[in-house]
Amino acid sequence: MWEASRSRHSQPETSGRGELKSTAAYDPAQNREGSGMKFCASGGAATLLGLLLFGTLAAAQSPKKDDYLANIELCNGTGRMPLAARIDGCTALIESGQGKAALAIAYNNRGNAHAANGDFDQAIPDFDQSIKLDPTSAKAFNNRGAAYLKKAKYDLAIKSFDQAIKLNPNYGRAFANRAGVYLKKHEYDRAARDYDEAIRLEPNLEAAWSGRCWTRAILGSLQAALEDCNKVLQSLPNDAATHDSRGLIHLKMGRADAAINDFSSALRLDPKLASALYGRGLARLKSGDKTGGDADISAARTIQAGIDDDFTRYGVRNGN
């Protein structure tokens, strides 16, 4: 469960030699209170901002040209190379004096690499520069919004996602990421609407289905939430967040044993997931296991202060 986001980084698409592509570092954010922030990664390829960069090297010597092409591949993230190598490749391109369009992509891609490395203070200025060079790039606005979300700068995140959506009204990932901010702000109805739109635009976006499952569980649309979670777990059976969400649904439905099973599955995948520990503790108490329930709840409180208030907001109270 969330409101501190869980995120996975999407893998950048590979590029042809000499062709610089804008990578999308962030796919949809699911955000829940109290658990570790994590963006949802997927293998979704970024939209090609096709750019052939041979112009300035048409007459260059072969070794220099080969280095240049190698930097393009590094900056594109070809072959899932180390983040430091991606950053170095983008930096070399930035310093080589490209045109504005190429520079915008290089800054965006370097920002993505910094963000994937957890260095959001470096990522945000790169996204700023990319936007300055190409203010029509929905992807750069989306990526900056995701970085702001990781920095807990929610209003700035929403402004960036709003602009991404204004530039590309069919950008499902931006809707899903904005939904994650609304979850952080406890604006669950708005989050649900954004997840609905993300799913309409990108029906195969599992993270949006999982986020909507969690949001519907909080709002009390339990059967619809259960259907969303079941759909995700068919394709992502080892997704801790979705097992956690389904555990909450079962808990609110009064199905203690099923809740314990799902929370335990989440904990096998993420042993320090406080929401799953707390939820399992409540389910164990309901099933008569006071010792086990108290132990789980105590462990959850140690990991995350304020988790009792979170579950009260979710519509579940500790009877102890």
Side-chain angles (χ1 to χ4, degrees):
M1 305 173 200
W2 303 7
E3 277 170 5
S5 326
R6 304 188 171 160
S7 77
R8 304 172 187 133
H9 298 293
S10 66
Q11 297 299 326
E13 59 183 348
T14 58
S15 65
R17 285 183 64 77
E19 189 174 49
L20 186 61
K21 300 185 179 184
S22 178
T23 61
Y26 302 116
D27 274 349
Q30 294 178 0
N31 301 277
R32 303 185 181 172
E33 294 166 334
S35 62
M37 186 168 268
K38 180 183 174 188
F39 276 96
C40 299
S42 82
T47 302
L48 171 63
L49 300 183
L51 191 60
L52 297 178
L53 301 178
F54 290 108
T56 59
L57 287 180
Q61 295 179 353
S62 180
K64 184 177 179 181
K65 186 173 181 178
D66 286 345
D67 288 345
Y68 181 72
L69 296 176
N71 285 330
I72 291 174
E73 292 191 358
L74 287 171
C75 190
N76 283 336
T78 306
R80 300 185 182 184
M81 71 259 312
L83 294 173
R86 288 171 54 188
I87 291 168
D88 288 346
C90 291
T91 300
L93 290 174
I94 289 167
E95 293 176 350
S96 67
Q98 300 301 312
K100 288 179 66 174
L103 282 173
I105 294 174
Y107 274 110
N108 176 74
N109 290 4
R110 191 173 72 175
N112 289 343
H114 281 307
N117 204 34
D119 192 349
F120 301 103
D121 289 330
Q122 292 276 9
I124 290 170
D126 274 348
F127 294 137
D128 287 342
Q129 189 63 26
S130 179
I131 289 166
K132 182 179 178 180
L133 290 162
D134 181 8
T136 67
S137 173
K139 192 176 281 88
F141 278 104
N142 174 69
N143 291 341
R144 187 176 70 178
Y148 277 135
L149 175 53
K150 295 283 276 188
K151 293 280 292 178
K153 295 183 177 181
Y154 304 131
D155 291 339
L156 290 173
I158 286 176
K159 287 181 181 177
S160 286
F161 293 135
D162 286 348
Q163 187 62 26
I165 290 166
K166 181 179 179 180
L167 289 166
N168 180 4
N170 296 318
Y171 200 171
R173 286 168 171 77
F175 278 103
N177 277 334
R178 191 174 68 179
V181 186
Y182 287 136
L183 282 178
K184 290 289 293 183
K185 291 167 69 70
H186 314 149
E187 298 180 24
Y188 302 119
D189 288 327
R190 294 179 111 181
R193 289 195 293 272
D194 269 356
Y195 280 130
D196 286 344
E197 187 65 8
I199 289 167
R200 184 186 72 80
L201 293 167
E202 297 190 44
N204 295 323
L205 209 55
E206 283 94 350
W209 289 91
S210 183
R212 192 174 71 174
C213 164
W214 172 244
T215 307
R216 285 175 163 179
I218 293 173
L219 292 171
S221 300
L222 300 181
Q223 187 56 44
L226 186 60
E227 292 170 3
D228 283 350
C229 273
N230 287 342
K231 182 181 187 306
V232 175
L233 290 171
Q234 286 176 0
S235 55
L236 296 174
N238 293 323
D239 188 78
T242 306
H243 279 291
D244 191 23
S245 297
R246 196 169 68 177
L248 177 65
I249 296 165
H250 288 311
L251 183 63
K252 293 181 78 169
M253 285 180 161
R255 302 171 181 172
D257 289 342
I260 290 169
N261 287 338
D262 265 322
F263 287 132
S264 295
S265 294
L267 289 165
R268 281 193 292 272
L269 297 161
D270 186 353
K272 293 188 179 297
L273 186 53
S275 53
L277 276 168
Y278 194 93
R280 188 175 69 178
L282 293 179
R284 282 177 164 173
L285 291 176
K286 289 180 180 296
S287 68
D289 180 5
K290 188 175 189 308
T291 300
D294 287 344
D296 277 348
I297 289 171
S298 177
R301 288 169 175 162
T302 298
I303 294 169
Q304 181 185 314
I307 195 165
D308 300 86
D309 293 336
D310 293 342
F311 270 76
T312 298
R313 187 161 48 251
Y314 304 156
V316 181
R317 293 179 180 272
N318 183 358
N320 281 0

